[in-house]
Amino acid sequence: MKYILAITTLAAIAAGACNKDITVKGQSDINTINACEKFQGDIVIDGVDGLGALSIDNVEEITGDIVIQNMYDLQTVSLGQLTKAGSFKVLNNTNVYKVDIPNLKTVGDFQIIINPNLKELTYKNMTSVDNFQIITSYVSTIGAFTASKVKNIEVLSNLQLSQLDFHNVKETTGYINIANNGKNANVTFSSLTTVGGNVSFADATVLDISKLSSIADDFSLYTNSFKNLTIGALSDAQKSITLSGNKFSAISFPKLSEVGSSINIANNTNFKSISKSTFPELATVPGSIFLEGSFDNMTFPSLKEVDGQVSLKGTGRLTCSDAEEALSAASNIDCSLETVDEDGDDDSDSNDDDEDDGKSSKSKTKTSGASRASVTAAVSGAVVLVAAAFL
């Protein structure tokens, strides 16, 4: 009877401990958590010295958040039975190399941020998630992601990660930000149709967004290395489109008829022709158009209205007069193109008649105005700012 009473008392104590927030101070607190199958509260493990391995393998559900952060000695994390959590956060742990959550399926915020030595991140089938972030790690693979609708997706600065497969995602209510991952990053969002925030893809070798039709905020492509891209379904871009520092030679938006703000195209070294297939249906730009590069020709076959200023900069075969003709829908054009001939020679010294004809270098036409600054892809700054918002 004495032993039965002792067991009952311990069970009651464990049951009470399972229903309140806990800040872990040492192994005894972890043992207390491990007595629970369902933990109703938050678990915070912050800066605990001397803890090399964290194992919470009995808990199946955490109704609150589990936060593991600022752990210098910690090397491995295991929550082998966890299937559901309010949020799962592993933040700023210098020496963690393994996080094992093989059964996690449902989570609010999933944040693996600033764990520079993390090589193994194990999850098998994440079916429901709000905010998904993996930032600054050494992982080379990520698990299956079967959620069809999420809030935000952000995968940044994982230099060994080359396969980013989100082919099941059809919609995000917030943003997508993918940048600075593996050298030959293959990024797949082949089922994605709708994004409720901004979209930014950078440093990808392969990008599949073939079904993307609607973006509620800015759309940006920075420093990607794919050779060409057709964004065949996009018809609704509610803010700006920015293409900067990419290596493609051709890009096409065949269904895009209107943008909500501006178009910015700059420093795409191999992109020399804005052809009939680039923006074949684009009719209205309520903001500005900024174009900088080595353009040889340019056409916007359906363009009827540009409300903001058009700025043209760069060196190529395209003349200001030809550019103005292509952009005749605009009333305010600032052109400082430097035109070269087919042999690459600057035509600026050809003769005065050519200058009068508007075909010389640095010719300016229509309403003169201050040229816009060149578009710059500040991806590394964005990593810090966006990640900080969730910490």
Side-chain angles (χ1 to χ4, degrees), residues 356-383:
D356 293 338
D357 196 33
K359 297 183 181 294
S360 69
S361 70
K362 299 184 180 180
S363 61
K364 296 198 175 186
T365 59
K366 293 197 178 182
T367 304
S368 178
S371 297
R372 285 187 53 179
S374 185
V375 178
T376 306
V379 171
S380 61
V383 170

Side-chain angles (χ1 to χ4, degrees), residues 24-304:
V24 171
K25 301 298 184 183
Q27 186 62 47
S28 62
D29 291 326
I30 295 171
N31 293 340
T32 299
I33 296 168
N34 262 320
C36 311
E37 289 187 4
K38 181 177 182 179
F39 190 92
Q40 300 185 71
D42 296 337
I43 300 172
V44 177
I45 307 169
D46 187 352
V48 180
D49 293 331
L51 186 63
L54 174 62
S55 178
I56 303 176
D57 284 328
N58 191 54
V59 178
E60 297 178 5
E61 179 180 352
I62 300 169
T63 61
D65 302 338
I66 177 165
V67 181
I68 304 163
Q69 63 185 12
N70 304 319
M71 302 284 286
Y72 179 77
D73 296 319
L74 188 63
Q75 295 183 331
T76 63
V77 175
S78 176
L79 288 93
Q81 300 302 316
L82 186 66
T83 62
K84 185 176 183 179
S87 71
F88 184 86
K89 302 180 181 182
V90 182
L91 315 172
N92 193 33
N93 302 286
T94 306
N95 293 306
V96 167
Y97 68 86
K98 182 178 182 179
V99 174
D100 189 20
I101 40 173
N103 294 300
L104 183 62
K105 291 180 171 58
T106 302
V107 64
D109 293 341
F110 182 81
Q111 299 177 333
I112 311 295
I113 299 176
I114 311 179
N115 303 280
N117 290 302
L118 178 61
K119 295 181 179 180
E120 299 178 44
L121 175 60
T122 304
Y123 61 88
K124 292 181 180 178
N125 187 8
M126 200 170 294
T127 59
S128 177
V129 60
D130 289 336
N131 296 303
F132 181 89
Q133 293 176 288
I134 302 177
I135 300 173
T136 311
S137 79
Y138 206 71
V139 297
S140 58
T141 60
I142 56 177
F145 193 94
T146 58
S148 62
K149 183 177 181 179
V150 302
K151 186 176 181 181
N152 303 311
I153 296 176
E154 187 167 36
V155 185
L156 308 174
S157 300
N158 306 285
L159 299 182
Q160 300 300 310
L161 183 60
S162 59
Q163 297 292 326
L164 292 85
D165 187 355
F166 296 94
H167 73 271
N168 287 300
V169 177
K170 296 180 180 179
E171 178 182 357
T172 71
T173 57
Y175 65 81
I176 296 175
N177 190 11
I178 308 291
N180 196 32
N181 295 296
K183 183 178 180 181
N184 296 309
N186 186 325
V187 181
T188 302
F189 282 87
S190 54
S191 299
L192 182 68
T193 61
T194 305
V195 178
N198 64 283
V199 183
S200 180
F201 294 107
D203 310 304
T205 300
V206 178
L207 176 61
D208 185 349
I209 48 173
S210 54
K211 294 183 180 179
L212 180 59
S213 61
S214 178
I215 303 170
D217 211 303
D218 298 327
F219 174 75
S220 303
L221 297 176
Y222 293 122
T223 57
N224 295 286
S225 58
F226 46 76
K227 302 304 181 184
N228 55 71
L229 182 67
T230 297
I231 306 172
L234 185 63
S235 59
D236 182 19
Q238 296 183 21
K239 290 193 177 179
S240 66
I241 290 179
T242 298
L243 313 174
S244 180
N246 301 283
K247 293 184 179 180
F248 56 72
S249 58
I251 190 166
S252 178
F253 298 81
K255 292 187 177 180
L256 185 66
S257 61
E258 182 178 359
V259 297
S261 182
S262 61
I263 291 178
N264 309 289
I265 302 175
N267 303 319
N268 303 286
T269 308
N270 300 320
F271 186 52
K272 299 181 181 298
S273 175
I274 300 178
S275 67
K276 292 179 180 179
S277 63
T278 306
F279 294 105
E281 300 296 327
L282 183 64
T284 305
V285 180
S288 60
I289 297 178
F290 177 73
L291 305 173
E292 181 176 6
S294 302
F295 297 114
D296 293 335
N297 57 74
M298 180 181 297
T299 183
F300 292 85
S302 300
L303 193 61
K304 299 293 190 295

